[in-house]
DNA sequence: TGCCCTCGGGG
DNA sequence: GTGTACGAGGGCA
């Protein structure tokens, strides 16, 4: 009998005899990779008061192992239920579909490994004992578990394999596979470059031998993994066995690839979710984030490069794998996934790119079952009922100084707690009534599950934050990550109840939460105004107000005092930042400002340029205009905007700044290829005798946008554009971009194009202090609940 | 306003 | 394999 402490990385199961064995893969406190096996668990689901004939059938069914009786809360009342234990997890969907027609079915759509984790109430790290066994897994140890026990989370360091492939553009053949393996001993690299068969098998064996916890690379989900599989099929290799169970690599859904026992972490996905970059090429990210540069192999001429110097290409391939690995490390992707796994009590793999419903399920299903509350199925197919979102205060166009920003701390969770909002407290007899007229029982009558969970999380977060403040260095970072994960988890609870389908969702609940929120913030605004403060803007859980003092120290003091004074028991206000200046052209959710406290920064929301399809002049012009505005030179901004447009319309601009680029796939890929400018450019490029390979980036200049589809000319180094650019089109595009900012001063798109003000609706009510205008305060119908992190100007200019 | 289509990363 | 799968932007109706 041995004992191990194991961080769980991922889970799966496989068939044995007349049942299944649960496989949990992880790493021990000593850093040993391990497979945990447990074969005494069977799938089950529940039925609410099933008719007798239905029960009879089930009793006679060989696949059904056991039927027991229990009482559960269903739709607000105690009901007699049957727990149906069956043989194999994959049989459950069939029963679910058939039985759903005859009675209410509960908990028949919970993935088997998660079912196991909930039932054994496992958390992120477990202490297990059992016997070490021999079996066909690639981990160092394999343990047949007799006993599971929860223990404090550990963060063992993981072995990561990063890889990259190069393949021919001409015939798709694999040229090389480059690998970088990182473990406790450091890094090692490896290249495969023999026949395709040898490369794929070599790679497979390498993965099995080195047994990484994590497989990464850049855009591997979208490119390398599908390409590997494609090439394997081509040369009659049925499957690529990369799993810890030596099982195959397989695709799940549209975008995900999985393998049992390992975590597949695409570095590009992390870049997308963690950073807000205009371009996300490996080259660009490596430079931004790591200050490193890619080797300069031109991948659009990969065949030539390979021909010329295959050693160089191989080096480049490994370098790319290394960059992806460094990005993953730099972004602390796995640390964050572990934190998420810790707070949601799930395997690390589930904490990476987590689905909110999975996180919430993990906590809520356990809680529900503990309280004998039935777990409904997630309903599919119905219409996504949009609920009313947060309150957004109208903003008077203009430039402001000394603007202080306050935030409600964890507003939605606080509201749920304060009003005991839960699907278990929803009741006609409730004494708590939401602004939408929905009633909830008081906590004294019946404490809701959601408020209970959120209170615990809130308390836990406060404790972790306290520890964070006491700690330093590595420890401080650990607590910081943890408290952040708790925050994400808390918001997930609100998220699933507010938006999409979720098994416990009731639109009345989501609507009550946001209604309470709107009431709260409006009340705060009124109180501030009654006390003589000028509220400039407000969105969902934040309030922007004009500081009565034009002085940093005084503004800080005042803001802190206001945050204290206006906080109510469960609803706490926090002083967030000071903006000076702050600009908006009067459209909600769109503003720019200089943050001067707590740290200097630039804040831009809603003015971001679209990432693709934009041309250099647009970027440049917008950046310049913002500079004027943040320097308080409104007039200069408008003048410069007009000048830009005039120049573009008159053709006084380098064509280079008007080039639009985009990749172009195989023409047949597109539904309507002739309508697409990139296809048109690619075709013309070919006509001109240039090489075009599908997937290449093509560049063009628009020469006539009046026609549909618009006419374009390819932009090529040695090709002179004979037709005129469509100056009018470009002037309009620039005007559209810039007018979003200048509109407020009476210069809308048309005015900018005309060069003089025509309709002057805004400016009449507008003076330089941003005063005036009519109050058009309305509730936003916007249902984007998750607040995006703010984007800074550096990110997009 | 809402639906449909496309991109982005990769070679 | 008890289940899901991006998110944003533009064009067009």
């Amino acid at each position: 009998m041995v004992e191990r402490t194991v961080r769980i990385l991922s889970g799966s199961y496989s068939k044995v005899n007349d049942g299944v064995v649960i496989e949990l893969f992880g790493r021990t406190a000593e850093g040993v990779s391990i497979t945990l096996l447990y074969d005494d668990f069977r799938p089950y689901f529940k039925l609410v008061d099933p008719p007798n004939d239905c029960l009879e059938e089930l009793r006679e069914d060989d696949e059904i192992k056991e039927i027991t009786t229990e009482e559960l809360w269903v739709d607000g009342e105690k009901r007699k239920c049957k727990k149906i234990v069956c043989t194999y997890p994959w049989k459950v969907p069939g029963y679910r579909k058939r039985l759903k027609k005859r009675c209410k079915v509960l908990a028949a759509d919970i993935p088997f490994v998660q079912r196991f984790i909930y039932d054994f109430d496992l958390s992120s790290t477990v202490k297990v004992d059992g016997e070490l066994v021999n079996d066909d897994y690639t981990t160092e140890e394999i343990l047949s578990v007799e006993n599971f026990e929860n223990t404090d989370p550990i963060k063992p360091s993981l072995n990561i394999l990063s890889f990259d492939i190069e393949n021919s553009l001409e015939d798709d053949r694999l040229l090389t596979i480059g690998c970088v393996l990182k473990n406790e001993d450091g890094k090692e690299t490896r290249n495969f470059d023999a026949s395709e068969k040898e490369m794929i098998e070599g790679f497979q064996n390498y993965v099995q031998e080195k047994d990484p916890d994590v497989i990464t690379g850049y855009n591997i989900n979208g490119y390398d993994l599908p390409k590997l599989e494609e090439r394997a099929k081509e040369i009659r290799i049925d499957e690529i066995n990369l799993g810890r169970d030596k099982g195959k690599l397989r695709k799940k859904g549209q975008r995900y690839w999985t393998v049992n026992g390992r975590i597949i972490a695409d570095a590009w996905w992390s870049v997308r979710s963690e950073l807000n970059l205009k371009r996300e090429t490996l080259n660009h990210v490596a430079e931004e984030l790591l200050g490193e540069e890619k080797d300069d192999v031109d991948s659009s001429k990969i065949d030539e490069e390979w021909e010329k110097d295959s050693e160089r290409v191989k080096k480049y391939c490994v370098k790319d794998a290394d960059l992806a690995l460094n990005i993953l490390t730099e972004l602390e992707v796995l640390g964050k996934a572990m934190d998420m796994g810790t707070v949601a009590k799930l395997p690390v793999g589930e904490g990476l790119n987590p689905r909110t419903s999975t996180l919430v399920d993990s906590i809520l299903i356990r809680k529900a079952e503990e309280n004998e509350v039935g777990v409904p199925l997630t309903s599919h197919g119905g219409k996504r009922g949009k609920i009313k979102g947060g309150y957004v205060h109208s903003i008077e166009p203009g430039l402001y100084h000394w603007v202080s920003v306050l935030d409600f701390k964890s507003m939605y969770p606080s509201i749920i707690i304060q009003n005991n909002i839960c699907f278990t407290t929803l009741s006609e007899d409730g004494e708590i009534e939401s602004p939408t007229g929905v009633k909830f029982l008081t906590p004294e009558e019946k404490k809701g599950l959601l408020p209970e969970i959120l209170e615990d999380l809130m308390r836990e977060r406060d404790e972790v934050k306290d520890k964070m403040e006491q700690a330093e260095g590595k420890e401080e970072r650990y607590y910081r990550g943890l408290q952040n994960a708790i925050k994400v988890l808390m918001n997930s609870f609100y998220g699933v109840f507010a938006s999409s389908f979720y098994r416990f969702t009731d639109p009345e609940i989501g609507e009550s939460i946001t209604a309470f929120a709107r009431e709260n913030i409006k009340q705060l605004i009124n109180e501030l105004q009654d006390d003589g403060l000028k509220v400039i803007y407000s969105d969902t859980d934040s309030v922007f107000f004009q500081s009565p003092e034009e002085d940093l120290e005084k503004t800080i003091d005042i803001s802190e005092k206001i945050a204290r004074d206006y906080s109510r028991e469960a609803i706490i206000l926090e002083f967030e930042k000071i903006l000076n200046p702050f600009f908006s052209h009067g459209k909600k959710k769109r503003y720019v400002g200089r943050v001067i406290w707590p740290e200097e920064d630039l804040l831009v929301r809603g003015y971001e340029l679209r990432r693709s399809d934009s041309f250099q002049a647009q970027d440049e012009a917008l950046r310049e205009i913002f500079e004027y505005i943040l320097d308080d030179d409104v007039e200069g901004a408008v003048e410069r905007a007009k000048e830009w447009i005039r120049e573009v319309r008159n053709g006084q601009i380098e064509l280079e700044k008007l080039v639009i680029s985009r990749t172009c796939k195989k023409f047949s890929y597109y539904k309507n290829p002739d309508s697409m400018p990139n296809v048109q450019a690619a075709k013309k490029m070919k006509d001109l005798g240039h090489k075009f390979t599908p997937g290449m980036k093509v560049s063009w200049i628009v020469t006539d946008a009046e026609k549909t589809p618009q006419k374009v000319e390819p932009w090529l180094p040695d090709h002179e554009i004979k037709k005129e650019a469509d100056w009018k089109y470009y002037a309009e595009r620039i005007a559209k971009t810039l007018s979003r900012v200048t509109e407020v001063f009476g210069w809308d798109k048309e005015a900018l194009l005309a060069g003089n003000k025509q309709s002057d609706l805004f400016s009449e009510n507008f003076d330089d202090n941003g005063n005036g205008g009519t109050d058009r305060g309305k509730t936003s119908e916007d249902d984007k609940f998750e607040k995006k992190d703010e984007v800074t100007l550096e990110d997009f200019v």
Side-chain angles (χ1 to χ4, degrees):
Chain A
M1 195 82 137
V2 296
E3 189 183 279
R4 296 285 183 272
T5 298
V6 181
R7 176 75 187 213
I8 304 171
L9 301 175
S10 79
S12 54
Y13 59 92
S14 63
K15 186 174 185 295
V16 282
N17 304 325
D18 70 331
V20 281
V21 59
I22 290 276
E23 304 154 319
L24 297 177
F25 302 92
R27 213 161 258 285
T28 68
E30 295 76 30
V32 174
S33 70
I34 192 167
T35 305
L36 306 176
L37 300 174
Y38 190 80
D39 63 7
D40 195 17
F41 185 65
R42 286 201 187 270
Y44 64 86
F45 55 91
K46 294 172 186 179
L47 300 175
V48 181
D49 206 5
N52 270 330
D53 58 326
C54 189
L55 266 181
E56 278 315 306
E57 277 170 44
L58 291 170
R59 286 203 181 97
E60 283 162 22
D61 190 332
D62 283 349
E63 298 277 356
I64 301 300
K65 291 291 165 191
E66 200 185 1
I67 301 178
T68 54
T69 304
E70 54 190 66
E71 287 215 322
L72 295 172
W73 287 97
V74 180
D75 298 327
E77 50 176 342
K78 274 258 165 176
R79 300 282 301 273
K80 259 215 160 54
C81 297
K82 297 287 177 192
K83 175 176 170 182
I84 317 289
V85 182
C86 68
T87 49
Y88 303 115
W90 52 89
K91 301 271 182 184
V92 175
Y95 284 105
R96 184 180 67 222
K97 272 172 222 141
R98 268 175 281 136
L99 293 166
K100 226 161 62 171
K101 294 170 194 142
R102 304 167 73 178
C103 63
K104 193 167 192 137
V105 183
L106 301 175
D109 60 354
I110 300 168
F112 191 53
V113 175
Q114 283 168 45
R115 177 78 272 173
F116 174 78
I117 289 173
Y118 305 159
D119 282 33
F120 282 68
D121 198 23
L122 303 188
S123 57
S124 69
T125 306
V126 291
K127 200 153 86 184
V128 291
D129 52 48
E131 301 292 344
L132 289 173
V133 295
N134 283 317
D135 209 332
D136 211 12
Y137 296 94
T138 62
T139 50
E140 292 163 84
E141 290 188 341
I142 301 156
L143 187 74
S144 176
V145 180
E146 274 156 41
N147 229 340
F148 286 94
E149 204 180 299
N150 278 329
T151 186
D152 291 339
I154 58 170
K155 281 181 115 173
S157 80
L158 304 183
N159 293 358
I160 309 172
L161 176 91
S162 183
F163 80 103
D164 181 39
I165 65 168
E166 306 299 324
N167 68 290
S168 160
L169 274 165
E170 273 159 20
D171 58 12
D172 233 25
R173 234 172 355 104
L174 283 180
L175 301 174
T176 180
I177 304 176
C179 300
V180 177
L181 182 86
K182 187 181 158 195
N183 56 27
E184 294 222 291
D185 306 330
K187 274 186 186 175
E188 67 169 61
T189 63
R190 181 73 190 266
N191 249 124
F192 300 92
D193 70 335
S195 71
E196 284 191 286
K197 188 169 189 297
E198 284 166 292
M199 274 191 271
I200 291 174
E201 284 171 358
F203 179 64
Q204 175 181 293
N205 295 339
Y206 186 66
V207 170
Q208 289 192 12
E209 183 203 331
K210 297 295 174 181
D211 191 40
D213 303 296
V214 181
I215 295 176
T216 189
Y218 207 73
N219 194 19
I220 50 172
N221 278 323
Y223 192 81
D224 304 63
L225 292 170
K227 186 62 80 183
L228 265 187
E229 193 172 73
E230 210 182 298
R231 293 314 302 167
K233 285 242 161 65
E234 185 70 30
I235 57 168
R236 307 275 152 85
I237 296 178
D238 295 344
E239 42 190 58
I240 308 177
N241 300 122
L242 301 180
R244 276 190 151 142
D245 57 352
K246 302 188 181 165
K248 66 178 177 203
L249 170 73
R250 55 191 195 279
K251 196 174 180 173
K252 264 185 147 189
Q254 296 298 297
R255 308 157 47 79
Y256 287 76
W257 290 81
T258 52
V259 95
N260 286 348
R262 304 188 207 283
I263 297 168
I264 293 186
D266 191 324
W268 178 45
W269 287 19
S270 299
V271 165
R272 301 196 64 181
S273 58
E274 299 283 319
L275 308 173
N276 200 328
L277 298 174
K278 208 178 157 230
R279 292 196 63 73
E280 291 157 348
T281 60
L282 183 53
N283 219 342
H284 189 247
V285 177
E287 224 170 278
E288 284 289 293
L289 195 67
L290 313 168
E292 284 188 60
E293 284 196 36
K294 246 176 101 153
D295 279 354
D296 57 342
V297 167
D298 183 350
S299 64
S300 69
K301 293 180 186 144
I302 191 78
D303 295 277
E304 240 173 83
E305 300 266 17
W306 182 255
E307 186 76 17
K308 210 166 59 194
D309 188 351
S310 63
E311 284 308 312
R312 196 163 133 262
V313 174
K314 279 160 66 181
K315 219 179 103 203
Y316 158 88
C317 181
V318 170
K319 169 94 182 194
D320 275 9
D322 191 41
L323 289 176
L325 179 58
N326 293 342
I327 288 168
L328 210 70
T329 311
E330 182 66 28
L331 294 176
E332 294 180 89
V333 172
L334 297 168
K336 284 172 191 157
M338 284 202 193
D339 292 336
M340 209 57 245
T342 301
V343 301
K345 304 209 247 181
L346 287 168
V348 179
E350 301 287 345
L352 184 87
N353 318 129
R355 258 347 293 132
T356 41
S357 63
T358 312
L359 303 178
V360 176
D361 266 354
S362 176
I363 305 297
L364 193 48
I365 289 180
R366 294 184 219 219
K367 187 82 172 181
E369 290 180 339
E370 219 172 85
N371 288 273
E372 292 167 345
V373 172
V375 176
L377 301 175
T378 299
S379 66
H380 298 275
K383 257 203 212 118
R384 177 171 299 213
K386 280 196 175 174
I387 68 163
K388 214 167 163 183
Y391 171 76
V392 187
H393 196 58
S394 68
I395 180 163
E396 292 312 320
L399 190 65
Y400 303 81
H401 296 92
W402 299 101
V403 175
S404 197
V405 183
L406 305 182
D407 272 24
F408 279 122
K409 179 189 168 198
S410 308
M411 184 177 64
Y412 288 128
S414 302
I415 285 169
I416 293 171
I417 294 167
Q418 194 185 33
N419 300 291
N420 202 35
I421 296 174
C422 188
F423 48 91
T424 59
T425 56
L426 197 59
S427 162
E428 286 295 310
D429 312 323
E431 284 170 36
I432 299 172
E433 189 175 344
S434 81
T436 52
V438 179
K439 291 172 179 160
F440 298 94
L441 299 170
T442 61
E444 291 72 35
E445 281 171 286
K446 187 181 183 187
K447 181 90 182 174
L449 303 183
L450 287 182
E452 218 168 86
I453 290 168
L454 289 170
E455 252 174 58
D456 287 347
L457 287 173
M458 198 93 95
R459 191 180 320 114
E460 202 185 321
R461 180 164 183 235
D462 286 340
E463 284 167 14
V464 174
K465 270 175 131 177
D466 282 345
K467 286 185 194 157
M468 177 180 93
E469 272 147 30
Q470 307 294 314
E472 274 175 22
K474 206 178 159 188
E475 210 187 348
E476 194 261 2
R477 282 200 299 280
Y478 171 72
Y479 289 125
R480 183 176 297 283
L482 212 54
Q483 66 85 21
N484 196 53
I486 299 173
K487 183 177 158 182
V488 172
L489 181 60
M490 285 200 293
N491 287 332
S492 303
F493 274 85
Y494 161 70
V496 294
F497 281 91
S499 51
S500 59
F501 294 105
Y502 179 58
R503 58 176 82 249
F504 290 105
T505 294
D506 184 327
E508 294 203 317
I509 293 174
E511 269 159 7
S512 295
I513 299 171
T514 55
F516 272 122
R518 290 192 296 273
E519 198 179 69
N520 266 332
I521 198 104
K522 284 190 208 166
Q523 198 185 331
L524 172 69
I525 292 169
N526 286 337
E527 285 172 18
L528 289 170
Q529 284 172 339
D530 288 348
D531 290 349
L533 287 157
K534 184 173 160 48
V535 173
I536 291 165
Y537 181 60
S538 157
D539 184 354
T540 311
D541 61 355
S542 62
V543 176
F544 294 50
F545 68 92
Q546 179 89 58
S547 169
E549 300 283 349
E550 304 208 332
D551 173 273
L552 185 60
E553 287 310 311
K554 285 179 186 160
T555 298
I556 293 172
D557 284 349
I558 292 166
S559 303
E560 274 169 351
K561 185 172 186 312
I562 290 174
R564 266 197 314 276
D565 291 354
Y566 289 81
S567 290
R568 269 153 278 165
E569 35 169 346
I571 315 275
I572 294 163
L573 263 181
E574 285 175 332
F575 172 34
E576 189 65 15
K577 58 183 164 258
I578 301 171
L579 300 165
N580 187 29
F582 168 74
F583 166 81
S584 169
H585 70 299
K587 288 264 157 61
K588 290 168 179 177
K589 295 186 186 286
R590 221 180 246 180
Y591 48 82
V592 221
R594 274 210 174 101
V595 182
I596 56 163
W597 185 92
E599 268 161 34
E600 291 201 5
D601 199 1
L602 275 159
L603 174 62
V604 179
R605 291 200 69 183
Y607 286 114
E608 301 87 342
L609 273 186
R610 45 187 285 218
R611 338 157 57 91
S612 63
D613 217 22
S614 67
F615 46 93
Q616 204 190 333
Q618 260 176 308
D619 268 325
E620 251 178 58
L622 188 65
R623 186 182 52 216
E624 273 189 32
I625 301 307
F626 276 140
E627 267 162 26
Y628 278 101
I629 283 172
L630 291 174
D631 285 341
D632 285 7
D633 186 0
V634 167
E635 222 167 275
V638 174
E639 277 317 306
R640 187 68 190 106
K642 285 195 285 183
E643 204 181 335
W644 262 104
I645 291 157
R646 202 164 50 234
E647 283 177 11
V648 171
R649 197 179 26 212
N650 295 340
Q652 300 162 312
I653 184 169
E654 302 99 289
L655 274 183
E656 209 181 336
K657 292 188 176 174
L658 303 182
V659 174
I660 299 169
S661 301
R662 184 181 277 182
T663 53
C664 184
K665 308 191 196 236
K666 261 200 292 208
F667 303 152
S668 60
Y669 171 91
Y670 297 104
K671 257 203 167 119
N672 194 357
D674 292 326
S675 73
M676 312 225 20
N678 50 349
V679 172
Q680 201 189 130
K683 283 186 175 168
K684 289 192 176 171
M685 210 171 124
K686 276 169 91 173
D687 293 344
L688 287 163
H690 281 83
K691 203 167 155 188
F692 168 76
T693 345
M696 247 176 77
K697 190 153 267 172
V698 292
S699 302
W700 67 89
I701 297 272
V702 177
T703 53
D704 188 353
E706 304 244 299
K707 294 219 170 66
T708 21
Q710 55 178 218
K711 289 258 178 278
V712 305
E713 278 295 306
W715 175 262
L716 299 160
D718 53 350
H719 168 63
E720 201 191 322
I721 307 264
K722 293 197 187 69
K723 287 184 195 142
E724 280 286 298
D726 188 337
W727 304 113
K728 199 174 143 220
Y729 165 79
Y730 282 107
E732 288 204 359
R733 291 270 313 250
I734 298 240
K736 195 176 163 195
T737 303
L738 300 184
S739 67
R740 291 197 296 185
V741 183
T742 57
E743 229 162 31
V744 55
F745 312 114
W747 296 88
D748 62 11
K749 185 183 147 205
E750 311 312 323
L752 282 179
L753 283 164
N756 57 2
K757 287 197 217 183
Q758 293 167 325
S759 59
D760 218 347
L761 293 174
F762 277 128
S763 57
E764 275 180 22
N765 295 330
F766 170 73
D767 63 55
D768 269 351
N769 298 316
N771 296 318
T774 47
D775 190 6
R776 300 181 305 279
K778 281 192 192 79
T779 303
S780 162
E781 301 293 324
D782 197 334
D783 79 331
K784 283 181 185 164
F785 300 102
E786 280 151 59
K787 275 190 75 178
K788 282 259 166 199
D789 274 337
E790 284 137 356
V791 181
T792 62
L793 199 53
E794 279 96 350
D795 285 337
F796 90 100
V797 289

